[in-house]
Amino acid sequence: YLTLGSISSIAIPLDAGATSFEEIVVTGYRDAIDNQMEQLLSSNKREVRAIRNNNPFNLKYTEIKWDGKLPLDKETEDTFERFDSNLMGMRAGVINTLTHHIKYGDDTIEKLITRHAPSNENDTKNFINFVSKNMGIEPNQKIDLKNKEVLYEYAKAVVTMEGFKSDELDSIIYDAIEL
C-alpha cells in the first residue's frame, strides 16, 4: 500500500501491472475514492429510509389501509411502510401520532416516543431527549397535540430524528395536518 501525505487516511493498493509511479498513484487513488463512495452510498441507503420510502415517521409495515400506501414489496422494503408521496407518508405519521395521543392517552413526549420508537429497536432515551430539546419542553410535560402548532413542532422533531429531510418540510407537515 502507498500512503500519500495529505491523504494519509486513504490506503492505496499498489498495482503490480502499473508502469510508473504516477499510474500507481492515479489508479490507486481513483480506486480508493470509488471504494469510499461505494461504502458511503451503501450506508446512506440505510440512513435515508424515511426519504426512500416517503415515510417520514418510519412507520412499520401494518395492515392499516393508509391513503397513498404502496403495496408490500419485500424486494424493496420488508419492514417499513412505503407511500406514493412524502405528503401521504407524513399524513399517516400524523394520524398515527394523534391516535396514540387521543385513543391511548400518550400526552407527553416520553409516552409518545416510547410507543413510536420502542427501546428494543431504538435508543429511545436519545430520541426522547432530541424531541424534547427541539420542542423546548421537558419529556414528561403534558402536551396537547390537538393544537396544530404543537403537533407541527412534534412532527418536525420526530421526522428530523428519523432522518427525513426536505426543502419543503414545513409545508409538507402543515399540509399533512390539514388533510
Short mmCIF file of all heavy atoms in Angstrom, two decimals, residues 33 35 52 58 72-73 78-79 87-88 92 97 102-103 110 124 135 144 148:
data_model
loop_
_atom_site.label_atom_id
_atom_site.label_comp_id
_atom_site.label_asym_id
_atom_site.label_seq_id
_atom_site.Cartn_x
_atom_site.Cartn_y
_atom_site.Cartn_z
N ILE A 33 -11.02 6.12 -3.87
CA ILE A 33 -12.17 7.03 -3.84
C ILE A 33 -13.43 6.28 -4.23
O ILE A 33 -14.48 6.42 -3.59
CB ILE A 33 -11.95 8.24 -4.78
CG1 ILE A 33 -10.79 9.10 -4.28
CG2 ILE A 33 -13.22 9.05 -4.93
CD1 ILE A 33 -11.01 9.75 -2.95
N ASN A 35 -14.07 3.13 -3.85
CA ASN A 35 -14.45 2.26 -2.73
C ASN A 35 -15.11 3.05 -1.61
O ASN A 35 -16.10 2.62 -1.04
CB ASN A 35 -13.23 1.52 -2.18
CG ASN A 35 -12.77 0.42 -3.11
OD1 ASN A 35 -13.54 -0.06 -3.93
ND2 ASN A 35 -11.51 0.03 -2.98
N ARG A 52 -36.46 7.47 1.21
CA ARG A 52 -36.63 6.48 0.15
C ARG A 52 -38.05 5.91 0.12
O ARG A 52 -38.62 5.67 -0.95
CB ARG A 52 -35.61 5.36 0.34
CG ARG A 52 -35.53 4.39 -0.80
CD ARG A 52 -34.44 3.34 -0.61
NE ARG A 52 -34.75 2.43 0.47
CZ ARG A 52 -33.99 2.24 1.55
NH1 ARG A 52 -32.89 2.93 1.73
NH2 ARG A 52 -34.35 1.38 2.46
N ASN A 58 -41.10 6.82 9.61
CA ASN A 58 -40.62 5.43 9.59
C ASN A 58 -41.61 4.49 10.28
O ASN A 58 -41.26 3.69 11.14
CB ASN A 58 -39.23 5.30 10.23
CG ASN A 58 -38.13 5.59 9.24
OD1 ASN A 58 -38.29 5.41 8.03
ND2 ASN A 58 -37.00 6.05 9.75
N LEU A 72 -47.03 -3.90 -0.20
CA LEU A 72 -45.83 -4.51 0.34
C LEU A 72 -45.02 -5.12 -0.80
O LEU A 72 -45.56 -5.84 -1.64
CB LEU A 72 -46.18 -5.60 1.36
CG LEU A 72 -45.01 -6.37 1.94
CD1 LEU A 72 -44.10 -5.45 2.75
CD2 LEU A 72 -45.53 -7.51 2.83
N ASP A 73 -43.75 -4.80 -0.84
CA ASP A 73 -42.82 -5.35 -1.82
C ASP A 73 -41.56 -5.69 -1.06
O ASP A 73 -40.72 -4.82 -0.81
CB ASP A 73 -42.55 -4.34 -2.94
CG ASP A 73 -41.52 -4.83 -3.94
OD1 ASP A 73 -40.96 -5.93 -3.77
OD2 ASP A 73 -41.25 -4.09 -4.91
N ASP A 78 -38.94 -4.54 3.45
CA ASP A 78 -39.69 -5.59 4.13
C ASP A 78 -40.10 -5.23 5.56
O ASP A 78 -40.74 -6.02 6.23
CB ASP A 78 -38.90 -6.90 4.13
CG ASP A 78 -37.60 -6.80 4.91
OD1 ASP A 78 -37.22 -5.68 5.31
OD2 ASP A 78 -36.96 -7.85 5.10
N THR A 79 -39.77 -4.01 6.01
CA THR A 79 -40.06 -3.66 7.39
C THR A 79 -40.97 -2.44 7.52
O THR A 79 -41.88 -2.43 8.35
CB THR A 79 -38.74 -3.37 8.15
OG1 THR A 79 -37.90 -4.52 8.04
CG2 THR A 79 -38.99 -3.08 9.62
N LEU A 87 -46.02 13.62 1.33
CA LEU A 87 -47.22 14.16 1.97
C LEU A 87 -48.08 13.05 2.55
O LEU A 87 -48.53 13.13 3.71
CB LEU A 87 -48.03 14.99 0.98
CG LEU A 87 -49.35 15.56 1.52
CD1 LEU A 87 -49.11 16.48 2.71
CD2 LEU A 87 -50.10 16.28 0.40
N MET A 88 -48.29 11.98 1.80
CA MET A 88 -49.15 10.90 2.29
C MET A 88 -48.46 10.13 3.43
O MET A 88 -49.12 9.68 4.37
CB MET A 88 -49.57 9.98 1.16
CG MET A 88 -50.41 10.69 0.08
SD MET A 88 -51.70 11.79 0.72
CE MET A 88 -52.88 10.61 1.32
N ALA A 92 -49.93 9.91 7.27
CA ALA A 92 -50.06 8.67 8.03
C ALA A 92 -49.38 8.80 9.39
O ALA A 92 -49.93 8.38 10.42
CB ALA A 92 -49.49 7.49 7.25
N THR A 97 -49.78 9.38 15.18
CA THR A 97 -49.44 10.11 16.40
C THR A 97 -50.69 10.58 17.13
O THR A 97 -50.80 10.44 18.35
CB THR A 97 -48.54 11.32 16.04
OG1 THR A 97 -47.34 10.83 15.45
CG2 THR A 97 -48.22 12.15 17.27
N ILE A 102 -54.79 10.56 21.42
CA ILE A 102 -56.21 10.61 21.79
C ILE A 102 -56.71 9.26 22.32
O ILE A 102 -57.29 9.19 23.41
CB ILE A 102 -57.06 11.07 20.59
CG1 ILE A 102 -56.68 12.52 20.21
CG2 ILE A 102 -58.54 10.95 20.88
CD1 ILE A 102 -57.17 12.97 18.85
N LYS A 103 -56.46 8.20 21.60
CA LYS A 103 -57.01 6.88 21.98
C LYS A 103 -56.28 6.26 23.18
O LYS A 103 -56.91 5.65 24.04
CB LYS A 103 -56.93 5.94 20.78
CG LYS A 103 -57.58 4.59 21.02
CD LYS A 103 -57.59 3.75 19.75
CE LYS A 103 -58.25 2.41 20.00
NZ LYS A 103 -58.27 1.60 18.77
N GLU A 110 -42.29 11.69 26.25
CA GLU A 110 -41.78 10.39 26.69
C GLU A 110 -42.75 9.26 26.34
O GLU A 110 -42.34 8.22 25.80
CB GLU A 110 -41.50 10.41 28.19
CG GLU A 110 -40.90 9.10 28.68
CD GLU A 110 -40.46 9.17 30.11
OE1 GLU A 110 -41.18 9.76 30.94
OE2 GLU A 110 -39.38 8.62 30.40
N THR A 124 -34.25 4.88 22.61
CA THR A 124 -35.46 5.64 22.93
C THR A 124 -35.14 6.87 23.77
O THR A 124 -35.69 7.95 23.53
CB THR A 124 -36.47 4.74 23.66
OG1 THR A 124 -36.70 3.58 22.84
CG2 THR A 124 -37.79 5.45 23.90
N MET A 135 -38.38 20.76 20.90
CA MET A 135 -39.65 21.40 21.21
C MET A 135 -39.52 22.40 22.35
O MET A 135 -40.42 23.20 22.58
CB MET A 135 -40.71 20.35 21.55
CG MET A 135 -41.16 19.53 20.35
SD MET A 135 -42.53 18.42 20.75
CE MET A 135 -43.88 19.59 20.98
N ASP A 144 -50.58 19.02 24.17
CA ASP A 144 -51.88 18.84 23.52
C ASP A 144 -51.67 18.84 22.01
O ASP A 144 -51.54 19.88 21.39
CB ASP A 144 -52.84 19.96 23.91
CG ASP A 144 -54.21 19.81 23.26
OD1 ASP A 144 -54.47 18.74 22.65
OD2 ASP A 144 -55.01 20.76 23.35
N LYS A 148 -52.64 22.52 16.63
CA LYS A 148 -51.90 22.29 15.38
C LYS A 148 -50.44 22.74 15.45
O LYS A 148 -49.57 22.11 14.85
CB LYS A 148 -52.61 22.96 14.20
CG LYS A 148 -53.91 22.29 13.85
CD LYS A 148 -54.60 22.98 12.70
CE LYS A 148 -55.94 22.32 12.39
NZ LYS A 148 -56.62 22.97 11.29
#
